[in-house]
Amino acid sequence: ELPVYRDACKLFSAITGLVENMPRNHKAIIGSRIIDECVEVVSLIFRANVSRDKEPHLLSMLEHLQMAECYLRLSRDRTAISIQNYANMIEITTGIGKQVSGWRKRSAASVS
């Protein structure tokens, strides 16, 4: 089990808890999008791990992480989540992003 996969599952679990506590109108609009982005991140970790050409999956994963962060920011701005919850989620997404960037570098070095 890859550390990045563990962290992505941790993010997914934390996000689903956050979304459950969002006001109904935010839950349906923004919450579902955050969850979708997190599911895509977990899926792309698996795809990158089994693929020879990891780069497209890793780039897509970073994009989905950035979108999740964008939706989290919108949620915070609309007071659907607390500033502390926002900070906690961003800390997790930042850690995942660093791991994915390191994975990209290692992957590029092994191809060269």
Side-chain angles (χ1 to χ4, degrees), residues 21-112:
N21 294 315
M22 281 183 171
R24 184 177 297 183
N25 57 331
H26 291 95
K27 186 185 302 190
I29 298 168
I30 298 173
S32 63
R33 289 179 185 237
I34 300 169
I35 289 173
D36 291 345
E37 296 296 342
C38 291
V39 167
E40 197 60 33
V41 167
V42 172
S43 172
L44 287 164
I45 290 169
F46 176 79
R47 289 178 185 187
N49 196 38
V50 299
S51 176
R52 280 186 180 212
D53 184 13
K54 297 177 183 328
E55 184 70 8
H57 303 294
L58 296 173
L59 285 174
S60 184
M61 193 182 321
L62 289 172
E63 181 181 331
H64 286 284
L65 268 176
Q66 290 173 338
M67 288 308 303
E69 289 176 346
C70 176
Y71 294 134
L72 285 164
R73 191 173 324 117
L74 285 171
S75 299
R76 183 209 59 205
D77 292 347
R78 302 298 303 165
T79 64
I81 63 172
S82 70
I83 292 172
Q84 184 60 51
N85 283 334
Y86 170 76
N88 292 341
M89 297 304 106
I90 295 302
E91 185 177 331
I92 297 170
T93 59
T94 300
I96 293 169
K98 287 178 182 179
Q99 290 178 69
V100 172
S101 294
W103 194 358
R104 284 184 65 212
K105 287 179 186 174
R106 287 187 306 275
S107 178
S110 69
V111 172
S112 305

